[in-house]
Amino acid sequence: MPRPAYILAIGELHESLGHQRRAQAQYALYRDQLRLLRDAKVTPDAGAVLFEADHGSPERAVRLGRVAVEEQPFLSSQDAYAWALHRAGRDQEALVRADRALQLGTRSPLYHFHRGMIHFALGNAGAARRDLRAALDIDPRFHPLYAPAAHSALDRNGPTT
């Protein structure tokens, strides 16, 4: 059985290349796998939360994120919950979770990207630029959708000061 994370990654790669039909096919397969895991009472992981936040319902992502943080209080769960809260428009709460995800100094471009976008939503342009620059310094091609979004946000909002 293909691993869900790989299916999602292929879908996002297709989406980044403009292959919407192929991306949607992968997302449908991913949803089917999530349904099987849910039916088996498996706790949602960070990948499921992020998928729902970006490709489904942000409100559902928040509910999944809350469960993930309670059941698996990992840094990845904190980051995914932060992103779900951001996508649901709850940026103040999101920032608290994003800070927790990075509190140990984790060098994750994804975590920095998420916190940077949350900072932008809150009007904290300097902090946002620092996080987005950190994400791109760690890996300029860290994600087929988010890395271009980080470059674009930095281009629109000026260089890090």
Side-chain angles (χ1 to χ4, degrees), residues 3 5 16 20 25 28 31 36 54-55 70-71 87 97 101-103 109 117-118 120 130 138 146-147 152 154 156 160:
R3 298 200 54 192
S16 75
Q20 293 305 316
R31 281 185 188 93
L36 290 172
D54 285 334
H55 306 288
E70 289 170 4
E71 299 288 323
R87 299 286 288 175
R97 295 297 176 162
L102 287 163
Q103 71 185 359
M117 299 307 284
I118 293 164
F120 268 135
R130 282 189 295 278
I138 294 166
Y146 298 148
S152 177
L154 285 172
R156 282 192 318 270
T160 303

Side-chain angles (χ1 to χ4, degrees), residues 3-160:
R3 298 200 54 192
Y6 295 149
I7 293 168
L8 178 56
I10 291 169
E12 290 177 336
L13 177 61
H14 280 305
E15 184 176 343
S16 75
L17 296 171
H19 306 154
Q20 293 305 316
R21 205 174 312 165
R22 290 179 182 170
Q24 292 308 314
Q26 293 300 312
Y27 296 157
L29 180 57
Y30 188 82
R31 281 185 188 93
D32 289 344
Q33 287 196 332
L34 290 181
R35 212 173 354 268
L36 290 172
L37 293 171
R38 185 178 60 242
D39 291 349
K41 306 288 189 233
V42 174
T43 299
D45 66 359
V49 176
L50 293 173
F51 174 79
E52 194 64 39
D54 285 334
H55 306 288
S57 162
E59 291 76 20
R60 179 164 163 67
V62 168
R63 289 191 302 274
L64 292 174
R66 190 177 310 110
V67 171
V69 165
E70 289 170 4
E71 299 288 323
Q72 302 173 356
F74 307 135
L75 297 178
S76 59
S77 297
Q78 294 290 343
D79 172 70
Y81 190 29
W83 191 241
L85 288 164
H86 164 69
R87 299 286 288 175
R90 296 166 57 181
D91 292 308
Q92 218 40 69
E93 294 171 79
L95 184 58
V96 171
R97 295 297 176 162
D99 286 344
R100 286 184 189 167
L102 287 163
Q103 71 185 359
L104 299 178
T106 302
R107 287 184 41 84
S108 167
L110 184 63
Y111 296 5
H112 281 284
F113 170 77
H114 287 156
R115 189 170 70 176
M117 299 307 284
I118 293 164
H119 274 300
F120 268 135
L122 289 169
N124 306 332
R129 285 191 299 270
R130 282 189 295 278
D131 271 320
L132 295 179
R133 179 57 33 221
L136 294 169
D137 286 348
I138 294 166
D139 183 354
R141 294 179 302 269
F142 68 92
H143 189 279
L145 298 173
Y146 298 148
H151 284 288
S152 177
L154 285 172
D155 289 346
R156 282 192 318 270
N157 294 285
T160 303

